[in-house]
Amino acid sequence: MTAQSPGDGSGTGTTTIAAIAGEVGVSVATVSKVLNGRADVAPETRARVEESLERHRYRRRTKKKPVGTGQIDLVFHEFDSEWAMEIIRGVEAVTAPAGVDVVLSQLGGTHHPPQHWLDAVLARRPLGVLFVLCSPTPGQQAQLRRQDIPFVVVDTDSATTASVPTVGSNNWNGGLLATRHLLELGHRRIAIVSGPEDVLCSRARLAGFRAAHEEAGVPVDPDLVRYGTFYLDAGYTHGMALLNRADRPTAIFAGSDMQALGVLRAARQLGIDVPGGLSVIGYDNLEVAAWTDPALTTIDQPLRDMAGTAAHMMLDLARGEQPRTTRIDLVTELVVRESTAPPAG
Amino acid sequence: MTAQSPGDGSGTGTTTIAAIAGEVGVSVATVSKVLNGRADVAPETRARVEESLERHRYRRRTKKKPVGTGQIDLVFHEFDSEWAMEIIRGVEAVTAPAGVDVVLSQLGGTHHPPQHWLDAVLARRPLGVLFVLCSPTPGQQAQLRRQDIPFVVVDTDSATTASVPTVGSNNWNGGLLATRHLLELGHRRIAIVSGPEDVLCSRARLAGFRAAHEEAGVPVDPDLVRYGTFYLDAGYTHGMALLNRADRPTAIFAGSDMQALGVLRAARQLGIDVPGGLSVIGYDNLEVAAWTDPALTTIDQPLRDMAGTAAHMMLDLARGEQPRTTRIDLVTELVVRESTAPPAG
DNA sequence: AACACAACCGGAAACATATCCGAAACTTTC
DNA sequence: GAAAGTTTCGGATATGTTTCCGGTTGTGTT
């Protein structure tokens, strides 16, 4: 009955779900369901509504509900080892005092959440979402924004647009520091066992690795650049392959401390002394890194701080405050222990 | 348009009896009869249909209910390392398929949740609560029961009444196995760096330790029994103290793999070879245990299974089903690697 | 050759759910 | 209190499954 001129180009904030419903030819109830990720909407209908919502830049007109109590979602690419635990600790340290609960999930390998996961989140209406080593697709970002659910990406897996708040660490700098350290020790054949090729932080570290070489005027042997997972066995496998070469490297820069442990084991099995015959440097500075034999030289990545900063930022966003800056990189530092030394000869 | 390619790897639930009928070349009625064991189907036809059904993994198209949506609380005594991560993984593996979210929290040292924590939980009305290495007080138990919120205690911190559902592992047996292994190797002066004295599993392992000694007729030197946290530095500190004794032990049984790493480091610093001059055995069988130098002999505790079992039990309770048994202990096993050997001399 | 009868199969109605949507009641926000 | 948005509930529809019943085929009998 309400004569609703569809697509009146009115612009900001005036579009209601009734207008959308009118345009698409469905009821307001259906549009509401789409917005809230309810299950009982046909995919085809959902798509049409989504399209219209997107086109009209729909935003909720009513303000958000009071903050104070509530919960946030913390979603991991995968629960890998101590690394994830540090993130959890960092988040908890911020959320617990605020009386905010943490809902945990993992995507099990993929870097973008499946739609049904997002639907569940929309239905639950958390204060915000923290993505770790994974990120929502542009469409999913739009869905979250429409419902005023803020999100922050921690240690982003891929280059994101400037509008996406992220907290990371300076991986490029980390790669630079580690490599520079090895070069300064006199190494000239340095291998890198990087993380997965499709993960941004791996690429950034590799870029730092190359930059350090360039800086020192040392060429990078492409044969000495390897990609793998961040796990122990990847370090072992690649370590074995690298160390069995005739022209084996005198130093290996591992993509994570876990990988470095794998490299150490490979060296041990081949009877290569570390750091005498091989220097090994890790990344992350997990607690175990200080307790290995030899203790691991590594790049300190302030995981707890990163997670805490991200959680703070998200809570600010949830309160409606716009943080000064939404893209933060914390500094990485070199921690020299026992696993690096000048090359033999 | 319904191009029905046979064996298209369609996965689960998508195959209908119509598809089967089409493939085999019979009517849907006939397939239905085969499924329901009716008599009026020729044996030869029946066989063909059954073969096709088997191949397509046919399931009757009745939607299984996913428990409904909801969330459970997973509360830790403390987020310690990889150990906690394993528990989280085990729980997630069960809850995620059921569409249940996990809300995480930790008590930060205490073994009983503070009242305000419980109040928050009660207000949230989760499907259930999983306590790890901590437990609700009797009063809190009553509150939870009043609200029909089931709870399960994993690896209980203290002796609980029979009415409290628990999932643990046979710690006494683990202590026995570890100690027996050392005794069989010929060790007579065996130290134990146990977990905290007030934690049940520590006491159970210690009891197993004593039982093995008794069994072998070897006295336990009370000076060689130490208590500490489950962390790395506790292992290091106690390891140092024990190994600096004039009558130092020839073997150390650590309360956790992390502690064992600390002991290894202490031995290394003192120039004691493992396992030549000292045998070390850990507990938990974390992933790192296989990658240390030397690789750690340890007791395998099926943490993931424990957590999964507990989650299952809790979900059953939440559904109103009474599980057959509410007190489960999973078995522990000895994993022999490189850190144990007969004593020198 | 005609018939009886049983075994076997399929058409289609009956039945059982799952899916999808909107009206109306309800809640929240200003 | 009105507008915006959400939730509940029942009905319409579509789809998968079972059952009834009649048709076809083959075999044995007269």
Side-chain angles (χ1 to χ4, degrees):
Chain A
M1 19 74 172
T2 57
Q4 198 69 45
S5 55
D8 55 0
S10 53
T12 56
T14 52
T15 43
T16 66
I17 66 172
I20 301 290
E23 182 182 295
V24 180
V26 295
S27 69
V28 289
T30 302
V31 178
S32 174
K33 286 179 204 174
V34 170
L35 284 167
N36 291 294
R38 310 285 299 207
D40 59 343
V41 179
E44 197 264 346
T45 309
R46 179 186 298 263
R48 289 206 338 266
V49 173
E50 274 284 343
E51 187 276 334
S52 183
L53 285 168
E54 186 62 26
R55 190 152 36 77
H56 287 302
R57 303 272 151 71
Y58 171 83
R59 294 294 299 264
R60 288 189 77 195
R61 299 185 82 168
T62 56
K63 283 287 164 56
K64 59 242 165 263
K65 57 167 100 168
V67 184
T69 175
Q71 49 192 210
I72 68 162
D73 264 81
L74 176 60
V75 51
F76 283 85
H77 158 63
E78 204 156 19
F79 290 149
D80 42 6
S81 76
E82 189 86 23
W83 194 92
M85 204 72 234
E86 284 291 308
I87 300 284
I88 293 175
R89 287 197 187 100
V91 172
E92 257 277 326
V94 172
T95 54
V100 173
D101 292 311
V102 176
V103 178
L104 203 66
S105 44
Q106 70 168 335
L107 304 181
T110 60
H111 286 287
H112 298 296
Q115 188 58 41
H116 69 81
W117 178 87
L118 210 246
D119 287 341
V121 169
L122 289 172
R124 190 148 24 81
R125 242 183 225 304
L127 288 175
V129 185
L130 236 40
F131 293 91
V132 181
L133 252 176
C134 58
S135 58
T137 64
Q140 292 171 336
Q141 288 174 28
Q143 286 181 279
L144 287 167
R145 271 196 267 264
R146 257 181 236 128
Q147 295 291 79
D148 282 320
I149 297 174
F151 59 93
V152 176
V153 178
V154 179
D155 208 2
T156 180
D157 61 305
S158 58
T160 47
T161 53
S163 61
V164 178
T166 60
V167 176
S169 64
N170 198 330
N171 285 296
W172 185 85
N173 191 50
L176 187 80
L177 288 175
T179 315
R180 203 186 261 168
H181 171 63
L182 294 172
L183 287 164
E184 280 170 0
L185 285 171
H187 293 275
R188 286 301 172 264
R189 282 189 62 72
I190 305 174
I192 178 169
V193 181
S194 172
E197 192 166 7
D198 59 342
V199 176
L200 189 70
C201 63
S202 302
R203 294 209 301 274
R205 289 173 205 173
L206 183 55
F209 174 81
R210 290 188 200 282
H213 276 80
E214 208 163 302
E215 199 176 75
V218 177
V220 173
D221 182 347
D223 285 355
L224 298 186
V225 177
R226 303 300 192 99
Y227 295 97
T229 69
F230 285 121
Y231 292 95
L232 273 160
D233 50 353
Y236 178 73
T237 311
H238 284 298
M240 272 295 183
L242 287 165
L243 296 176
N244 272 323
R245 295 171 60 97
D247 56 345
R248 71 169 199 235
T250 62
I252 296 181
F253 173 22
S256 72
D257 285 347
M258 284 294 149
Q259 274 190 355
L261 288 189
V263 172
L264 285 182
R265 183 166 183 78
R268 208 154 56 230
Q269 278 194 4
L270 295 174
I272 300 170
D273 178 57
V274 176
L278 175 76
S279 285
V280 177
I281 186 166
Y283 206 103
D284 288 340
N285 196 21
L286 300 183
E287 201 186 9
V288 281
W291 298 82
T292 55
D293 177 27
L296 208 58
T297 295
T298 189
I299 298 295
D300 180 61
Q301 197 176 196
L303 293 173
R304 241 181 259 208
D305 283 354
M306 277 164 60
T309 305
H312 264 306
M313 191 190 287
M314 215 212 54
L315 255 30
D316 285 348
L317 286 166
R319 275 191 217 95
E321 301 165 16
Q322 196 62 31
R324 253 185 312 285
T325 168
T326 57
R327 293 176 80 84
I328 298 175
D329 269 357
L330 301 185
V331 295
T332 45
E333 275 173 35
L334 176 69
V335 179
V336 180
R337 295 206 182 89
E338 306 161 7
S339 66
T340 48
Chain B
M1 38 120 74
T2 57
Q4 197 62 44
S5 56
D8 55 356
S10 53
T12 54
T14 50
T15 42
T16 68
I17 66 172
I20 301 289
E23 183 182 294
V24 179
V26 295
S27 70
V28 289
T30 303
V31 178
S32 175
K33 284 177 206 171
V34 171
L35 283 167
N36 295 345
R38 293 313 192 81
D40 60 342
V41 180
E44 195 265 347
T45 312
R46 179 185 299 268
R48 291 211 331 272
V49 171
E50 267 174 349
E51 187 276 334
S52 183
L53 286 168
E54 181 62 28
R55 189 151 39 78
H56 284 75
R57 305 260 162 72
Y58 172 81
R59 289 279 165 76
R60 193 139 160 249
R61 238 312 192 148
T62 56
K63 196 61 169 278
K64 66 264 183 180
K65 51 170 57 179
V67 184
T69 174
Q71 45 192 214
I72 68 162
D73 266 82
L74 176 59
V75 50
F76 283 84
H77 159 63
E78 201 155 23
F79 291 148
D80 42 7
S81 76
E82 188 89 22
W83 194 92
M85 204 72 235
E86 286 289 309
I87 299 284
I88 293 174
R89 285 199 188 101
V91 172
E92 253 276 325
V94 172
T95 54
V100 172
D101 294 310
V102 176
V103 178
L104 202 67
S105 44
Q106 69 169 336
L107 303 181
T110 61
H111 287 286
H112 298 295
Q115 190 57 39
H116 68 81
W117 178 88
L118 188 67
D119 289 342
V121 169
L122 290 173
R124 193 147 25 79
R125 300 202 63 82
L127 289 175
V129 184
L130 236 41
F131 293 92
V132 182
L133 251 174
C134 57
S135 58
T137 64
Q140 292 171 335
Q141 290 174 26
Q143 287 188 67
L144 286 167
R145 272 195 265 265
R146 265 200 293 280
Q147 305 275 343
D148 276 321
I149 297 174
F151 59 93
V152 176
V153 177
V154 179
D155 209 1
T156 180
D157 61 304
S158 57
T160 47
T161 54
S163 62
V164 178
T166 60
V167 176
S169 63
N170 197 329
N171 285 297
W172 185 85
N173 190 50
L176 185 79
L177 287 175
T179 315
R180 202 186 263 171
H181 171 64
L182 294 171
L183 287 165
E184 279 170 1
L185 285 171
H187 292 275
R188 287 300 173 265
R189 279 190 65 73
I190 306 174
I192 179 168
V193 181
S194 172
E197 191 165 6
D198 59 343
V199 176
L200 188 69
C201 64
S202 302
R203 294 208 302 275
R205 290 175 204 173
L206 184 54
F209 175 81
R210 290 189 199 282
H213 276 78
E214 207 162 304
E215 199 177 74
V218 176
V220 173
D221 182 346
D223 284 354
L224 299 185
V225 177
R226 302 299 192 100
Y227 296 97
T229 68
F230 285 121
Y231 292 96
L232 274 159
D233 50 352
Y236 178 73
T237 311
H238 285 296
M240 273 296 187
L242 286 166
L243 295 175
N244 272 324
R245 294 171 61 97
D247 56 347
R248 71 168 197 235
T250 62
I252 296 181
F253 173 23
S256 72
D257 285 347
M258 285 293 149
Q259 275 189 357
L261 288 189
V263 172
L264 285 181
R265 183 166 184 79
R268 209 153 55 229
Q269 279 195 6
L270 296 175
I272 300 172
D273 178 56
V274 175
L278 176 75
S279 285
V280 177
I281 186 164
Y283 206 103
D284 287 342
N285 195 22
L286 299 182
E287 199 186 10
V288 281
W291 297 82
T292 55
D293 180 27
L296 207 57
T297 295
T298 190
I299 298 294
D300 180 61
Q301 197 175 193
L303 293 172
R304 240 182 257 210
D305 283 354
M306 277 164 59
T309 305
H312 262 306
M313 192 188 287
M314 217 211 53
L315 255 32
D316 284 348
L317 286 166
R319 278 195 213 91
E321 303 165 17
Q322 196 62 31
R324 254 186 311 285
T325 167
T326 58
R327 294 177 81 83
I328 297 176
D329 268 358
L330 301 184
V331 296
T332 45
E333 276 173 34
L334 176 69
V335 179
V336 179
R337 295 208 182 88
E338 305 162 7
S339 67
T340 48

